[in-house]
């Protein structure tokens, strides 16, 4: 969704030509469905398309599905997923009945659910109604996430790893690939935005294993990031005060892990300055799937940013 149509189709075509046959999108991702539709209309039967709906009523569900089919230029979706909605639809819910009806009509082939909340992930698995679960997973994940992966294996539920690059905070794609390559029941979606990124992943294969060097890189990253970091999922937004939370709450990480100069311009100083308008309403905390203390994170990141800006802290 961050690339124009021409560049997007070029990336998609190269991915397909090199054997990638699973593509994950969503109604929520602006014009992404349309781009996939234009790129793959002529070879539809050779690929698997997964898309998502964030709607919570049957009427909205059907409208979303109709729009997706039109955008994707297809008469069926291989995998249709409830997209991070506020509850896990169960057998008795009209919303799940609508999903099941769509499957019976051949409009979708498989039913899945995506979430950032571990409680909903467990609910989805325990009810036995979902064929796939999409959940954040990378080498930054902890024991709870590993338990979810193993639970999916035991229940024969497909596990799709979202944010396999840690929401953009992981720099080492080879380490990411090698780590996830250990799990034969995990399908990562890398979120590729450039041809160069695609080329990186195409250079890896089943022989890309975790070496001692890669393990050391992973441990260094985990120590640097810790547990209390923003993944940039954006579910905390919009902020009533107009604060760009998903950027500002992890600015300290950005300026340490990537070239800092682009983030020290007047434009970014203004964005970071806006965090001072936080009224601590905690609406963002209520929406955060990781239960982060976002007002505190904003304060810490603003103070650190000012120290870097004033030369008190080196990066």
């Amino acid at each position: 969704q961050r690339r124009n149509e021409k560049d997007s189709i070029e990336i998609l075509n190269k991915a397909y030509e090199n054997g990638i046959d699973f593509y994950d999108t969503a109604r929520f991702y602006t014009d992404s469905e349309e781009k996939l539709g234009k790129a793959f209309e002529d070879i539809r039967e050779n690929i698997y398309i997964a898309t998502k709906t964030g709607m919570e009523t049957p009427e909205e569900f059907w409208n979303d599905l109709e729009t997706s089919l039109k955008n994707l230029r297809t008469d069926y979706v291989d995998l249709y997923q409830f997209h991070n909605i506020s509850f896990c639809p169960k057998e008795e819910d009209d919303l799940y009945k609508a999903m099941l009806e769509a499957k019976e009509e051949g409009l979708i082939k498989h039913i899945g659910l995506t979430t950032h909340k571990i409680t909903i992930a467990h609910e989805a698995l325990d009810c036995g109604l979902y064929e796939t679960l999409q959940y954040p997973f990378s080498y930054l994940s902890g024991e709870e996430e590993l338990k979810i992966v193993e639970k999916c294996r035991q229940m024969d539920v497909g596990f799709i790893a979202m944010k396999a690059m840690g929401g953009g905070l992981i720099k080492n794609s080879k380490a990411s690939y090698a780590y996830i390559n250990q799990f034969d029941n995990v399908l990562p979606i890398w979120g590729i935005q450039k041809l160069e990124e695609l080329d990186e992943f195409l250079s890896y294969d089943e022989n890309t294993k975790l070496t001692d060097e890669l393990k050391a890189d992973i441990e260094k990253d985990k120590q640097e990031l810790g547990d209390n970091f923003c993944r940039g999922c954006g579910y905390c937004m919009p902020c009533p005060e107009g604060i760009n939370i998903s950027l500002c709450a992890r600015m300290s990480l950005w300026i340490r892990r990537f070239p800092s100069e682009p983030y020290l311009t007047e434009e970014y100083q203004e964005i970071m300055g806006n965090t001072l308008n936080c009224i601590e309403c905690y609406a963002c905390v209520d929406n955060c799937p990781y239960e982060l203390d976002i007002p505190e994170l904003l304060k810490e990141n603003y103070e650190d940013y000012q120290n870097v800006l004033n030369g008190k802290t080196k990066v």
Side-chain angles (χ1 to χ4, degrees):
Q1 62 179 331
R2 297 179 181 90
R3 300 303 300 270
N4 62 42
E5 183 179 294
K6 178 180 176 294
D7 292 344
S8 297
I9 291 176
E10 183 182 11
I11 292 169
L12 290 167
N13 285 340
K14 183 169 185 178
Y16 173 72
E17 289 163 4
N18 283 273
I20 294 178
D21 60 3
F22 179 88
Y23 298 86
D24 178 87
T25 182
R27 286 287 303 112
F28 185 72
Y29 304 156
T30 60
D31 62 349
S32 296
E33 288 183 333
E34 291 97 320
K35 291 167 180 170
L36 264 72
K38 289 180 180 179
F40 295 142
E41 183 177 16
D42 294 335
I43 46 91
R44 173 67 184 93
E45 67 279 3
N46 299 334
I47 61 172
Y48 300 92
I49 293 178
T51 192
K52 317 179 189 79
T53 176
M55 298 299 101
E56 298 191 358
T57 69
E59 182 181 2
E60 292 172 321
F61 170 92
W62 287 110
N63 288 338
D64 244 14
L65 179 54
E66 181 181 355
T67 302
S68 287
L69 292 172
K70 180 180 177 182
N71 289 343
L72 292 165
R73 303 188 181 196
T74 183
D75 55 6
Y76 71 95
V77 172
D78 295 284
L79 172 63
Y80 204 41
Q81 304 157 99
F82 289 119
H83 193 184
N84 203 48
I85 60 178
S86 60
F87 64 100
C88 175
K90 306 286 179 57
E91 200 166 15
E92 64 275 12
D93 297 324
D94 288 341
L95 186 59
Y96 186 83
K97 290 176 182 176
M99 179 74 91
L100 198 58
E101 184 180 340
K103 184 178 181 182
E104 290 167 351
E105 292 181 8
L107 299 175
I108 62 176
K109 294 188 178 296
H110 301 281
I111 298 173
L113 178 142
T114 84
T115 184
H116 289 253
K117 295 188 176 181
I118 201 159
T119 52
I120 292 182
H122 280 293
E123 272 191 70
L125 293 175
D126 293 341
C127 73
L129 299 175
Y130 296 95
E131 298 167 86
T132 65
L133 171 70
Q134 186 173 150
Y135 191 76
F137 187 68
S138 69
Y139 66 60
L140 300 175
S141 299
E143 287 300 317
E144 291 303 313
E145 288 87 353
L146 287 167
K147 288 177 183 177
I148 287 283
V149 170
E150 181 56 30
K151 190 172 182 177
C152 283
R153 180 200 300 281
Q154 294 173 2
M155 300 184 70
D156 197 28
V157 172
F159 185 96
I160 302 170
M162 73 164 89
K163 297 194 178 297
M165 293 292 287
L169 292 175
I170 292 175
K171 297 182 289 184
N172 193 328
S173 64
K174 188 173 185 179
S176 291
Y177 189 98
Y179 177 81
I180 289 184
N181 198 27
Q182 301 175 105
F183 303 90
D184 59 10
N185 67 318
V186 173
L187 174 66
I189 42 177
W190 297 110
I192 290 163
Q193 299 182 70
K194 302 176 183 176
L195 281 173
E196 309 91 83
E197 294 172 351
L198 176 59
D199 288 337
E200 280 187 46
F201 285 106
L202 290 176
S203 72
Y204 310 138
D205 57 28
E206 290 304 307
N207 296 315
T208 304
K209 307 296 184 184
L210 267 182
T211 62
D212 289 341
E213 183 181 356
L214 291 177
K215 288 178 183 178
D217 288 341
I218 287 174
E219 286 308 309
K220 182 180 177 182
D221 261 1
K222 292 173 81 169
Q223 289 177 15
E224 184 176 322
L225 289 168
D227 297 320
N228 191 41
F229 67 92
C230 171
R231 278 78 168 174
C233 68
Y235 290 106
C236 56
M237 297 166 65
C239 167
E241 300 302 312
I243 298 169
N244 187 337
I245 298 171
S246 63
L247 173 68
C248 296
R250 52 183 184 159
M251 180 56 77
S252 292
L253 296 172
W254 284 122
I255 58 181
R256 279 164 175 74
R257 300 175 68 78
F258 304 98
S260 60
E261 289 80 6
Y263 299 102
L264 301 179
T265 63
E266 289 185 6
E267 177 189 0
Y268 281 98
Q269 289 176 46
E270 183 178 345
I271 291 171
M272 289 301 295
N274 197 32
T275 61
L276 297 176
N277 296 327
C278 175
I279 58 174
E280 298 190 12
C281 66
Y282 279 81
C284 54
V285 176
D286 292 338
N287 292 326
C288 177
Y290 303 99
E291 301 179 351
L292 300 176
D293 186 343
I294 294 173
E296 186 61 31
L297 268 181
L298 290 175
K299 288 179 187 175
E300 292 173 358
N301 276 266
Y302 176 77
E303 290 173 5
D304 186 51
Y305 184 80
Q306 289 301 309
N307 286 334
V308 172
L309 200 63
N310 298 323
K312 295 178 181 179
T313 303
K314 300 295 181 183
V315 294

